[in-house]
Amino acid sequence: MMEEGFQSPKKRGKIAVFLSGRGSNFMTIHDAIQEGKINAEISLVFSNKEEAPGLNIARERNLETLFLNPKLYSSREEYDKDITREVKKRDVDLICLAGYMKILTPYFCDNFKHCIMNIHPALLPSFPGLHVQKKALDWGVKYSGATVHFVTADVDMGPIIIQAVVPIFQDDTEDTLSERILKEEHKIYPEAVRLFFEGKVEVRGKRVYIRE
Ligand code: GRF
């Protein structure tokens, strides 16, 4: 069987950011766009949380925002169908999950194959899920880091685009480690988005090749 392939488009792209919280990764992507480092615009900042600080920041930056209340939907799939409609309406090329704390349904992931990225605060496939900085400390691993990956229905298991490694020190707490990892997140997430719209990201099976 032929191995399925994907090549990212070289174009001025449209991005939708999904977030549920403070939005620091969203800001670094938007900053990189404004500095001319990423050839794209943010067409939508979406949240499942009305009070997400990141939504307010997006409004302050004059970006279009949207909140849909999950409690008004009968199922996760119905919710994701509405989000799909909103994203498609805006002709979005890439969805950047930036602290979006709701698991996407297979319906949604299948609609946007190789068009959803996520940032995760650990070196996947180690420590998927939540509270992973604490899990890394509890395991006693000596290194952790951050991973930018494509999103598939298999949570935190999609093709890995970029990783950054940080050391873990004996006196680290969850907070100090999270802070060290976050600094790396802010470097590799905009970098992955930049490469995507420069047409340099190629996916074959589980492997991602950066064609510089
Ligand atoms: C980050 O640690 C990211 O890795 C994880 O959620 C957190 C979001 O932080 N997916 P922020 O909202 O971007 O500041």
Side-chain angles (χ1 to χ4, degrees), residues 19-26 97-101 118-121 133 181-182 185-186:
L19 53 77
S20 307
R22 70 190 160 185
S24 72
N25 278 287
F26 146 61
L97 306 186
Y100 184 62
M101 302 302 284
N118 183 40
I119 180 92
H120 183 80
Q133 297 94 335
I181 292 173
L182 192 66
E185 295 182 31
H186 293 167

Side-chain angles (χ1 to χ4, degrees), residues 64-79:
E64 189 186 351
T65 60
L66 176 69
F67 156 70
L68 293 178
N69 187 348
K71 292 188 184 129
L72 303 179
Y73 290 81
S74 57
S75 69
R76 286 172 51 221
E77 187 158 309
E78 288 306 312
Y79 186 67

Side-chain angles (χ1 to χ4, degrees), residues 86-103:
E86 294 291 343
V87 170
K88 290 203 165 161
K89 243 198 274 180
R90 291 167 180 83
D91 238 353
V92 161
D93 304 289
L94 181 67
I95 297 163
C96 293
L97 306 186
Y100 184 62
M101 302 302 284
K102 199 167 184 343
I103 292 175

